[in-house]
């Protein structure tokens, strides 16, 4: 039988990103956590962690983390049904892309938490790589752009995040005075969320432009828009976020006539959008709260996202 105190140490080290922070989370010394990991590896006869070049679970470690995630969720269900066993907070560790977190996710979760008391541990990850978190056993669910689930999980389509290429009027005047041409796009600085963000590449490919291209890196949705507003570059902004800015009088399309002077951002390519499909993934044996969250997201997803194309 597995010693769940040892698995708890493994989970804490991975969740918290290191032995020292994992020990603080568990209220133990770093030496005690290290000894638990060593004991787990000794009993299994093989390592569960790779220490270098960065801390990560081995294939066996990933299997143990996946198992421990599901056990923790099922235990939460049991505590809710059998109070005599004790009390404990129900937590869900999920990987969410930053643009969802900055737009539709808080509203969706706010409604869910009105009926389900749960605490969320959100890991911000690009939608193209969030699934790796599940594969590593780091999270119980994730939002990503792949419809294919990892072993032991399910996936469901939620809808699409629609993006538009936006920049400040001053930036457009400075870099695109002669229009949005391939030559101008090769010279104008773009804003890219991070090294895994390929949206800008897709936009440039639509205009016949291949990398490399000048760009800022800004791993913050709010900061991303802030850089665009300040005229540092142009970038792909979620349409939902753009519509919110529009309702506040901060965004106008480039063909907005006499109101253009009031806008702080303009659309470089009106009528051209990039849709990124989003899928919800979760463990099959994730417990009632995870199942309830899945039902909630599928029931109300159309209110937040663009329906996926069936073409």
């Amino acid at each position: 039988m597995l010693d769940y105190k040892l698995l708890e140490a493994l989970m804490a080290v991975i969740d918290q990103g290191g032995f020292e922070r994992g020990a603080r989370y568990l209220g133990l010394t770093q030496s005690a956590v290290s000894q638990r990991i060593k004991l787990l590896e000794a009993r299994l006869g093989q390592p569960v962690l790779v220490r270098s070049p960065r801390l990560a679970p081995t294939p066996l470690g990933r299997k143990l983390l996946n198992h421990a995630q599901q056990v923790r969720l099922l235990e939460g269900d049991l505590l809710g049904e059998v109070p005599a066993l004790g009390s404990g907070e129900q937590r869900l560790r999920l990987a969410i892309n930053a643009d969802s977190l900055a737009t539709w996710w808080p509203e969706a979760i706010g409604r869910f938490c009105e009926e389900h008391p749960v605490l969320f541990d959100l890991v911000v990850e690009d939608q193209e790589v969030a699934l790796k978190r599940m594969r590593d056993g780091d999270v119980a669910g994730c939002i990503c752009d792949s419809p294919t689930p990892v072993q032991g999980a399910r996936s469901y389509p939620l809808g699409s995040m629609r993006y538009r290429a936006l920049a400040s009027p001053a930036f457009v005047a400075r870099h695109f005075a002669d229009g949005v041409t391939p030559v101008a796009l090769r010279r104008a600085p773009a804003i890219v969320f991070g090294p895994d963000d390929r949206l800008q590449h897709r936009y440039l490919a639509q205009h016949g432009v291949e990398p490399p291209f000048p760009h800022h890196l800004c791993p913050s949705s709010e900061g991303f828009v802030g850089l665009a507003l300040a005229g540092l570059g142009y970038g792909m902004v979620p349409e939902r976020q753009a519509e919110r800015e529009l309702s506040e009088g901060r965004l106008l399309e480039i063909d907005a006539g006499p109101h253009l002077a009031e806008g702080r951002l303009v659309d470089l390519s009106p009528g051209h959008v990039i849709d990124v499909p989003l899928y919800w993934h979760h463990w099959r044996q994730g417990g009632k709260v995870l199942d309830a969250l899945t039902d909630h997201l599928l029931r109300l997803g159309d209110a937040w996202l663009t329906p996926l194309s069936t073409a």
Side-chain angles (χ1 to χ4, degrees):
M1 296 295 292
L2 292 169
D3 186 334
Y4 283 92
K5 286 187 177 181
L6 306 185
L7 285 186
E8 183 182 47
L10 176 62
M11 290 185 68
V13 168
I14 293 298
D15 288 354
Q16 302 301 314
F19 280 83
E20 184 177 351
R21 282 179 286 189
R24 282 201 302 267
Y25 177 80
L26 293 175
L28 301 172
T29 65
Q30 183 174 339
S31 176
V33 171
S34 181
Q35 288 300 318
R36 289 187 181 187
I37 298 296
K38 289 180 181 178
L39 180 57
L40 179 62
E41 292 178 328
R43 290 184 178 179
L44 296 172
Q46 54 184 298
V48 296
L49 287 175
V50 175
R51 274 76 169 177
S52 179
R54 67 178 184 85
L55 191 66
T58 64
L60 174 60
R62 287 196 294 269
K63 290 180 180 179
L64 293 174
L65 288 168
N66 292 341
H67 172 75
Q69 280 275 3
Q70 295 174 66
V71 168
R72 183 162 64 179
L73 292 168
L74 292 173
E75 283 182 346
D77 288 347
L78 189 59
L79 288 171
E81 295 177 3
V82 187
L85 292 176
S87 61
E89 58 189 25
Q90 178 77 305
R91 298 188 69 89
L92 285 179
R93 184 171 171 86
L94 309 174
I96 308 295
N97 62 305
D99 287 337
S100 289
L101 194 57
T103 53
W104 63 272
W105 179 263
E107 181 182 354
I109 295 307
R111 298 178 185 179
F112 177 77
C113 289
E114 290 175 1
E115 301 177 2
H116 302 273
V118 60
L119 299 176
F120 288 97
D121 186 358
L122 300 179
V123 178
V124 179
E125 195 67 89
D126 191 87
Q127 63 265 13
E128 296 186 10
V129 296
L131 196 59
K132 183 179 182 299
R133 291 281 192 168
M134 282 201 68
R135 190 175 293 112
D136 289 347
D138 189 20
V139 296
C142 75
I143 291 177
C144 72
D145 65 358
S146 171
T148 305
V150 299
Q151 185 176 1
R154 292 190 176 97
S155 74
Y156 301 90
L158 291 177
S160 294
M161 287 280 285
R162 176 162 288 178
Y163 290 81
R164 297 159 61 183
L166 304 180
S168 71
F171 184 89
V172 173
R174 188 163 63 250
H175 293 278
F176 299 107
D178 297 324
V180 182
T181 65
V183 172
L185 287 170
R186 290 189 185 96
R187 296 175 178 173
I191 308 171
V192 176
F193 186 83
D196 296 311
D197 178 14
R198 310 299 294 178
L199 281 173
Q200 196 67 39
H201 298 70
R202 290 174 58 183
Y203 174 75
L204 289 172
Q206 291 179 348
H207 292 79
V209 177
E210 297 294 329
F213 55 90
H215 62 276
H216 306 281
L217 287 177
C218 181
S220 161
S221 290
E222 294 80 4
F224 192 103
V225 174
L227 292 185
L229 287 167
L232 274 72
Y234 71 100
M236 306 305 297
V237 177
E239 187 175 69
R240 183 178 178 87
Q241 193 172 4
E243 289 172 349
R244 186 175 65 203
E245 302 290 350
L246 177 59
S247 69
E248 298 172 358
R250 299 174 61 187
L251 170 76
L252 296 176
E253 292 189 4
I254 202 165
D255 58 351
H259 301 294
L260 178 59
E262 301 174 7
R264 298 179 62 192
L265 293 176
V266 295
D267 194 332
L268 292 184
S269 305
H272 290 269
V273 298
I274 291 181
D275 287 341
V276 176
L278 295 180
Y279 297 86
W280 166 244
H281 294 247
H282 73 92
W283 294 117
R284 291 176 184 269
Q285 303 298 326
K288 294 180 179 179
V289 172
L290 201 55
D291 288 341
L293 177 58
T294 299
D295 292 341
H296 178 78
L297 293 174
L298 296 181
R299 185 172 66 252
L300 300 177
D302 288 347
W304 304 311
L305 298 168
T306 302
L308 290 174
S309 173
T310 57

